[in-house]
Amino acid sequence: MLEDTINVSIEEQVAMFLKFVGHRWTNRSVAFEFLRSGETVSRYFNAVLDALCVLSRDLIAMRTTETHPKISSRPGRFHPYFEVTYI
């Protein structure tokens, strides 16, 4: 989903994104570090974020919300943490 451009490789796009997310850098500091304009950094941040959102549909699986039978059948051991309510 990401493509190399004439000036910015995929690796650099992801590196800029990770500086934002992992190190809490500002747009200006990432632009200074990678010698890019703020608009370029913002454009590629959004491109990587969009690609990750598309990939997340395939990679992230929703877990079930049902309580495991071992927990619900033995309420004494897990009672302080998991309260089973019967309606």
Side-chain angles (χ1 to χ4, degrees):
M1 291 170 218
L2 297 175
E3 295 180 356
D4 285 334
T5 62
I6 296 171
N7 298 318
V8 183
S9 67
I10 292 174
E11 292 82 7
E12 189 175 359
Q13 295 173 27
V14 173
M16 288 189 287
F17 179 82
L18 291 176
K19 289 287 186 177
F20 268 113
V21 176
H23 298 286
R24 294 184 181 177
W25 282 20
T26 61
N27 188 9
R28 180 177 288 177
S29 60
V30 173
F32 180 76
E33 178 73 20
F34 288 91
L35 303 174
R36 305 284 178 208
S37 70
E39 190 271 332
T40 300
V41 171
S42 179
R43 181 182 334 124
Y44 289 113
F45 174 84
N46 288 320
V48 173
L49 184 61
D50 290 342
L52 287 174
C53 288
V54 171
L55 283 175
S56 70
R57 295 180 197 139
D58 297 330
L59 299 176
I60 299 174
M62 297 301 292
R63 291 186 170 195
T64 180
T65 58
E66 295 177 15
T67 306
H68 193 276
K70 278 189 172 181
I71 295 172
S72 61
S73 66
R74 297 176 61 190
R77 180 175 174 201
F78 297 105
H79 179 69
Y81 309 105
F82 300 97
E83 291 188 29
V84 179
T85 56
Y86 299 100
I87 298 175

